[in-house]
Amino acid sequence: MAAAGAAAITLAPVSFASAAGGSSGSASGGATPPSGTQVTKTVTGHLDTGAADFVYLPVEIPQGVQKISVAYAYDKPGVPAGTPGNSCDIGVFDQRGTKLDGQGFRGWSGGFRTSFEISNSEATPGYLPGPVSAGTWNIVLGPYQVAPQGMNYRVTVTLTYGEPGPRFVPDYPPQRAKGRGRAWYRGDCHLHTVYSDGKRLPSEVAAGARAAGLDFMVSTDHNTTSSHGVWGQYAGQDLLIITGEEITTRNGHWLALGLPAGDWIDWRYRSRDDAFDRFARKVHRAGGLVVPAHPYCPYVACQWKFGYDSADAVEVWNGPWTYDDESAVDTWDAKLGEAVRSGGPWLPAMGNSDAHSEPQVIGLPHNVVLAEDLATDSLMDGIRAGRNWIAESSAVELTFTVTGGGRQAGIGERLTLPADAPVDVRLDVAGVPNGTVRFITDEGQMHQESLPASGSGTVVWRTTTSLAAYVRAEVRHPMADGTPGKGNTMGPALVWGPMAALTNPVFLVPAKG
């Protein structure tokens, strides 16, 4: 049975008899079992290699249930080197059904937890508190890696009877903090907590954002919005906390930034299912941003396969600088050239820490966004327009402008001048000792200059709108051997040290006539 966009199968239902001996879910006859009574059933099974993306186990919930508890396990047989072993996620949908983008979603913990509980008052992180209503619930298994021997699984369901506790009241964060008016604001837009696969509490993430000198942060737990309802107590006038989600599909991950608190985005599809654009439109209608995350991540199901037509920006720098970030920047730069050629919209770049736990550093890297105010809508507008640059830490400061004909343009903007009019490109930077500054256009690297040991300096280079369709800046740390690196060369080794700062481009447009 196809219960969602991706391939799915549905198992035989698990039934719990009502107190009067009738079928589960029956509303007639018999007294409710004494409060606190627990009934447990266990299901075992086997999945072969090539199993569906999602396996649904229907559970018939009778009247009078206070809490549902689920535990699961699966075997992990040895496999040959280079062969994926068993890995299986878990989540649950309630009596409202498993329809793609339906109302039934009640939680997801991926492979991070082996059990969860849901009641009216509380739920395991990753899951949504609320009534345990009578009807057919569905436990969903996500066997995203199955060993050649197959996967043996066990699911144990325990129902606790009784009156529901008090209703959980979410504490959503405000959408505005005390800003500085139109200014540059620093923020990390990709962060995880214990509400998905992180090990930090929300309080610890908020404290880490403040320690990193950030003005804002975005909560992006995997495939769930369950943390949205706790962020209010950790926000403040000094830290804007924005709600979001990381949507983890089998063909890549993407960030939905600036979602209205409580809004959930489905992840149960592949690129061949033609569903991504539908959910991108849903995010856009809500005023949020669609951002492919770590597009060259080498892990299973992480590499981006949906294209960039519906994206508002792309995450080209994820955590400490590695080779997959180099690939992401190269692809993004090529997309800039495509935009210039076609005259269509261009794709801004952003960078985030994707921090899950120690020793991953919150704010390494983060975005510095020019926004009208420290408010969710203003920041989303700034990122959407490409008015941002990326810094490895708050110690790095940068100003990037182009000037010509008595006019000036900054990051994400356009400067129109006669084709032969001189344009001065200027970068003022601090916080990168012995760093290397690169100016890159649609022709490639056009200027390179080293910074002094102090890490502060100004680099100026002259071009024209006929020679450069856009110009962007990178600031790199020295190579491991202390040398600055050299862009216009080839060889077996990497030619650059780690990134310290990266700007979005300024576009140079020849005047017509």
Side-chain angles (χ1 to χ4, degrees), residues 8-19:
I9 60 174
T10 299
L11 306 175
V14 177
S15 296
F16 287 80
S18 69

Side-chain angles (χ1 to χ4, degrees), residues 101 172-175 189 217-229 231 241-247 254-266 279-291 312 376-377 380 384:
D101 197 32
Y172 295 137
Q175 296 190 32
C189 299
M217 55 158 282
V218 185
S219 164
T220 56
D221 281 312
H222 293 277
N223 297 346
T224 182
T225 59
S226 60
S227 66
H228 290 188
W231 282 114
I241 298 179
I242 299 172
T243 47
E245 180 185 341
E246 181 174 6
I247 295 87
W254 59 284
L255 306 175
L257 306 179
L259 286 177
D263 276 15
W264 169 71
I265 305 299
D266 211 326
F279 290 101
R281 289 193 297 270
K282 180 178 179 179
V283 173
H284 291 154
R285 286 194 299 270
L289 302 183
V290 171
V291 181
D312 299 293
T376 298
D377 55 355
M380 296 301 104
R384 188 182 293 109

